[in-house]
């Protein structure tokens, strides 16, 4: 195992994409095999040494940032293999596989792994631990439904081999047996869950649930992912992408409502009409942020939507026409729509979306600002209200803001920029007011980034003390010494 104690290296590993400044560790360990990872974690348990798991460090909530002890990076555990039979296929994967590499490899063999967090340099272990989701979640859901098996090392040194369907909660208890025969019993309660299509805050608990789902999205606080099996599906025969520009935000939001409604109808009826697999929103300030890279944006655009539609050679043109008609009903700029028929054009659209997230980061570095970024989702009927809530809060608190994201899932990111201490204070107030309103609408404080070290207060606000205590009790079942990922999601 490679191990570092040099402060420059330890400091670099003590940060993720959230820029949370308070990470610290005594050492960084980088196991070169799953066996070394198991040995490393068991050594920590024997020594009562806290440990934090780190994958691609693209997290935005400091979940992988250490709060003392040892940081264990899984990035060298990067083997994977596609297994195919006539009807199905799945990928066996170690936790350090880069998402993009896995996706490209299976696509080259005619299969498709749908989960697509915008940051595809993230690793499979990090994706499973955060139940990562992305643009295509609108059609395909988050990471969870694609995880069919997980091998987990627990905080007591035991190993669980969890195959979906193997252990299910019955009569209020989830009973699980480890590879060595140790038994675990977790009381399963019914807790009020937000009525949203994306939710990543707190542990997943549901009557009748499958044990594997407790570990997916648990931000690494219950144990270490050693290996996983991921379901893949047949690669759609053809896809086209569109970027549509709108002369008003209202027109754009009306378009989204219609596009979503017709996509759902198509899925229910089994085909024929349009069915977006992603619907991504960019407001005017987001477009301005990346205009230098994409000078062909229509100058009058107040908002834009990037969408993708799966099709065949014969359905491509009729579907394209249906989309064009729908865009033209809501925008006078329909003729400016970008059409992406080939992979290169579609990658450019994907780059546009990614460029906005990157430009936010570059701007705060260049102007020595910070940003307060939201990750809230609301029940779908409140999509419009969510946009106007963010915009009004930015105006009322005199903050510059960009609003963009996964509008298909009623999930928008607002980034409030703050330079001075006074602006930071106002941005935090805007954030708090947004949380309060989103919770009143039945939404979630985190649709995809998780809680990490930054949103614990909001988790408490969302679920209340009693439920957070219940999460603590679940952690103690699997990590009795409270050694794994201390300070992430819940405090001791
Ligand atoms: C520009 C940008 C865009 C983004 N867009 C999206 C998006 O669209 N959707 C989305 O969901 N996220 C998004 N993210 C956030 C981030 O990419 C995801 O949360 C991602 O899943 C994190 O993966 P990672 O490999 O970087 O994990 P890390 O950040 O290293 O870790 C994340 C969590 O996983 C735990 N972990 C890591 N390995 C293991 C293991 N082997 N066992 C147990 N726990 C482990 C860590 O302890 C931590 O709690 C974005 C980030 C950036 C910077």
């Amino acid at each position: 195992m490679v191990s570092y104690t040099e402060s420059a290296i330890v400091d670099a590993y003590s940060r993720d994409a959230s820029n949370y400044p308070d990470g610290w560790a005594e050492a960084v360990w980088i196991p070169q095999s799953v066996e070394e990872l198991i040995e490393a974690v068991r050594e920590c348990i024997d020594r009562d040494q806290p440990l934090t798991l780190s994958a691609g460090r693209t997290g935005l909530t400091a979940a992988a940032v250490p709060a003392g002890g040892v940081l264990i990076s899984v990035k060298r555990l990067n083997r994977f293999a596609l297994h195919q039979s006539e009807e199905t296929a799945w990928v066996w994967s170690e936790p350090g596989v880069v998402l993009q590499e896995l996706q490209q490899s299976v696509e080259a063999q005619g299969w498709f792994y749908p989960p697509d967090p915008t940051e595809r340099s993230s690793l499979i272990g990090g994706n499973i631990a955060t139940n990562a989701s992305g643009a295509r979640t609108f059609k395909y859901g988050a990471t969870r439904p694609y995880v069919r098996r997980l091998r987990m090392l627990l905080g007591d040194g035991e190993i669980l081999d969890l195959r979906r369907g193997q252990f299910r909660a019955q009569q209020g208890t989830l009973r699980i047996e480890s590879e060595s025969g140790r038994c675990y019993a977790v009381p399963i309660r019914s807790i009020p869950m937000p009525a949203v299509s994306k939710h990543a805050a707190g542990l997943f608990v549901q009557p009748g649930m499958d044990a594997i789902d407790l570990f997916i999205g648990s931000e690494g606080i219950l144990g270490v992912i050693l290996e996983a099996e991921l379901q893949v599906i047949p690669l759609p025969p053809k896809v086209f992408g569109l970027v549509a520009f709108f002369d008003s935000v209202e027109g754009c939001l009306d378009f989204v409502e219609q596009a979503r409604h017709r996509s759902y109808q198509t899925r229910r009826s089994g085909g024929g009409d349009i069915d977006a697999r992603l619907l991504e929103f960019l407001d005017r300030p987001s477009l301005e942020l990346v205009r230098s890279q994409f000078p062909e944006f229509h100058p009058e655009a107040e908002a834009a939507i990037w969408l993708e539609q799966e099709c065949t050679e014969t359905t491509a043109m009729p579907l394209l026409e249906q989309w064009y008609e729908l865009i033209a009903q809501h925008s006078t700029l329909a003729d400016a729509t970008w059409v992406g028929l080939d992979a290169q054009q579609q990658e450019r659209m994907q780059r546009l979306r990614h460029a906005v997230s990157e430009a936010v980061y570059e701007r705060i570095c260049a102007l020595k600002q910070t940003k307060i970024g939201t990750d809230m989702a609301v029940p779908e009927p409140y999509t419009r209200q969510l946009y106007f809530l963010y915009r009004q809060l930015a105006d009322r608190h005199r903050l510059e803001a960009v609003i963009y994201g996964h509008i298909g899932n009623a999930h928008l990111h607002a980034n409030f920029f703050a330079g001075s201490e006074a602006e930071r204070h106002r941005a935090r107030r805007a954030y708090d007011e947004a949380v309060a309103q989103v919770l009143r609408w039945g939404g979630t404080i985190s649709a995809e980034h998780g809680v990490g070290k930054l949103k614990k207060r909001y988790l408490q606000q969302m679920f209340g003390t009693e439920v957070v205590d219940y999460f603590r009790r679940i952690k103690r079942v699997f990590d009795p010494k409270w050694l794994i990922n201390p300070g992430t999601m819940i405090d001791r």
Side-chain angles (χ1 to χ4, degrees), residues 31 69 110 150 214 244 246 249 251 269 293 295 311 337 352 361 372 385 412 419:
L150 273 186
L214 181 60
F246 294 82
V249 174
S269 65
Q293 297 172 56
C311 57
T337 302
L352 158 65
Y361 186 68
I372 310 274
Q385 284 92 325
L412 290 172

Side-chain angles (χ1 to χ4, degrees), residues 233-252:
I233 60 175
L235 189 64
K238 199 172 162 55
V239 177
F240 65 77
L242 298 176
V243 176
F245 296 94
F246 294 82
D247 51 330
S248 75
V249 174
E250 285 82 358
C252 179

Side-chain angles (χ1 to χ4, degrees), residues 403-419:
I403 303 171
Y404 59 89
H406 314 299
I407 200 160
N409 288 103
H411 171 212
L412 290 172
H413 300 296
N415 281 291
F416 302 116
F417 295 109

Side-chain angles (χ1 to χ4, degrees), residues 53 55-59 63 118 122-123 127 129-130 133 219-220 225 448 485:
L53 297 155
R57 292 191 288 119
T58 68
T118 310
S122 55
L123 309 185
N127 287 174
T130 57
S133 52
E219 300 188 27
I225 298 161
E448 64 184 17
N485 281 10

Side-chain angles (χ1 to χ4, degrees), residues 298-343:
H298 197 286
E300 285 162 33
E302 289 297 326
I305 292 289
W306 167 44
L307 66 88
E308 279 184 358
Q309 166 78 53
E310 292 170 359
C311 57
T312 61
E313 284 296 340
T314 45
T315 60
M317 278 308 140
L319 287 168
L320 202 53
E321 276 167 27
Q322 289 179 55
W323 276 114
Y324 181 81
E325 269 173 37
L326 188 60
I327 295 164
Q329 282 168 24
H330 300 285
S331 174
T332 58
L333 310 180
D335 288 343
T337 302
W338 293 0
V339 181
L341 294 176
D342 62 32

Side-chain angles (χ1 to χ4, degrees), residues 33-54:
S33 66
V34 169
E35 291 67 33
E36 278 193 3
L37 172 62
I38 296 172
E39 263 174 47
V41 174
R42 285 186 173 153
E43 191 180 324
C44 289
I45 296 169
D46 288 346
R47 289 205 242 147
D48 288 346
Q49 168 93 283
L51 65 111
T52 297
L53 297 155
S54 154

